Amino acid sequence: MTRTHSRSFGATLDDLARDIVDACRRAARAIAAMPWPAMLACCIALAFVISILPLALCLFVLFMGLKVIAGAFIVDRRRAHREGLDDPYGKQ
């Protein structure tokens, strides 16, 4: 790898860092200019996004996985019943 590639990558990282710092400065200025009720609403919305939304998504994935697993067993049992087997797992 030549030096020009690493300089290009370094310049990209510098630009990214500069953009992040600029965004943080703009956010700090916006927060400083907000009235208290608007800041309270922003804090509540941010708390919702940080805590409740990931919990809801995690529970959705968990229950969807349980539904798929239970559905696989139910489909297997119904298929075995259609083929004339009483117990698809060989238990008597």
Side-chain angles (χ1 to χ4, degrees), residues 13-78:
L13 288 179
D14 286 339
D15 290 341
L16 179 65
R18 193 175 310 110
D19 290 341
I20 290 172
V21 168
D22 288 342
C24 290
R25 285 181 182 154
R26 273 184 275 140
R29 282 193 298 264
I31 288 172
M34 277 186 189
W36 284 103
M39 191 180 305
L40 178 64
C42 285
C43 289
I44 291 171
L46 186 62
F48 174 76
V49 169
I50 290 174
S51 61
I52 297 172
L53 193 61
L55 176 65
L57 290 174
C58 183
L59 288 175
F60 172 76
V61 169
L62 176 74
F63 286 121
M64 188 58 71
L66 289 174
K67 181 180 176 180
V68 167
I69 291 170
F73 284 113
I74 292 170
V75 166
D76 186 42
R77 176 141 338 240
R78 287 182 182 170

Side-chain angles (χ1 to χ4, degrees), residues 71-91:
F73 284 113
I74 292 170
V75 166
D76 186 42
R77 176 141 338 240
R78 287 182 182 170
R79 185 181 305 125
H81 183 68
R82 257 184 279 142
E83 292 173 357
L85 299 174
D86 289 332
D87 192 4
Y89 304 110
K91 297 178 187 172

